[in-house]
Amino acid sequence: MEKLKKNFEKMGFSGDDLDKILSAFELHVFRKNDRVVEEGKTSRHIGFVESGMFQYYVLKDGEEITTYISIENTFFASVLSFVSEAPALENVRALTDGSMSMISKPNLKRLVNEIPKFKDFYINLLEHSICGIDASRHDLIALTAEQRYAKMLKNEPHLLQQIPLQYLASILGVTPRHLSRIRSTIR
């Protein structure tokens, strides 16, 4: 949980507040292909990815469609399920061996009530997640595959280096072959 600690220290948390936050999280270790969230079951945790990659996907006509990948040093959440306490519409699994520092909703609510700055952090996390989801939805409708790739290249080049081609293609809404052609023309 050292990476989680460093993340919260960068945000200005220290002393008793930092200790309370860190004690509310539990480290969970995942093997490749372990499920973190299962469609139809309520997601009860959010987490911070300490190591590994975690794939968000839906099944459509028996085919996996990747919607997002959480990587090291980012927060993880099946937002709709966690916030509304409703069954998840997606699956999340470990693409690699990895670990996550996870917090339950009761522990999160306790921190939100006890530490005003943590409440601000949580609101910011939700706002960031909602904006990212909304932007992705817009991009899939309004931009061409080439434009979506160029935008990812500009805004999130680290993802292009870390995420395997077939998952990137799915996130962008194209086949791996089409993505290879796009990559050859856009650098």
Side-chain angles (χ1 to χ4, degrees):
M1 290 206 311
E2 193 59 34
K3 290 179 183 175
L4 178 70
K5 180 180 180 185
K6 286 180 183 176
N7 186 69
F8 278 112
E9 285 174 338
K10 277 189 213 171
M11 288 186 246
F13 290 95
S14 61
D16 288 342
D17 286 350
L18 181 60
D19 291 341
K20 283 180 187 178
I21 292 166
L22 295 177
S23 68
F25 282 81
E26 285 183 36
L27 185 65
H28 292 257
V29 175
F30 298 94
R31 309 298 305 166
K32 182 178 179 176
N33 293 320
D34 283 352
R35 284 228 181 123
V36 183
V37 174
E38 190 172 342
E39 182 181 355
K41 295 184 178 178
T42 303
S43 177
R44 306 244 181 246
H45 295 84
I46 61 172
F48 180 80
V49 179
E50 298 279 346
S51 65
M53 287 192 282
F54 297 84
Q55 172 199 22
Y56 298 61
Y57 68 96
V58 295
L59 293 173
K60 182 178 180 185
D61 301 326
E63 185 179 334
E64 283 183 14
I65 299 172
T66 301
T67 58
Y68 192 72
I69 305 274
S70 284
I71 60 172
E72 189 173 306
N73 291 318
T74 62
F75 279 90
F76 152 88
S78 180
V79 178
L80 179 62
S81 180
F82 181 78
V83 171
S84 67
E85 298 181 3
L89 301 176
E90 64 196 345
N91 296 286
V92 181
R93 75 165 166 226
L95 279 181
T96 61
D97 291 349
S99 62
M100 244 191 263
S101 295
M102 300 182 83
I103 186 168
S104 67
K105 193 159 191 179
N107 282 342
L108 184 131
K109 283 184 172 185
R110 181 179 49 79
L111 291 176
V112 163
N113 290 328
E114 291 178 8
I115 305 171
K117 191 173 179 179
F118 187 85
K119 181 179 183 177
D120 294 341
F121 153 76
Y122 180 57
I123 290 169
N124 185 280
L125 180 65
L126 289 176
E127 288 174 345
H128 182 77
S129 296
I130 291 165
C131 289
I133 292 165
D134 200 40
S136 294
R137 184 180 62 187
H138 171 270
D139 291 353
L140 281 172
I141 295 167
L143 301 179
T144 66
E146 290 78 7
Q147 290 169 324
R148 291 191 300 272
Y149 179 80
K151 183 177 179 181
M152 186 178 275
L153 184 62
K154 178 184 174 194
N155 297 336
E156 300 177 296
H158 59 283
L159 293 180
L160 298 174
Q161 296 166 354
Q162 295 180 38
I163 298 172
L165 182 74
Q166 74 265 26
Y167 302 117
L168 276 175
S170 187
I171 290 168
L172 293 169
V174 298
T175 64
R177 187 173 174 172
H178 189 178
L179 179 56
S180 290
R181 283 194 298 267
I182 293 169
R183 290 173 86 175
S184 70
T185 60
I186 300 175
R187 290 281 168 202

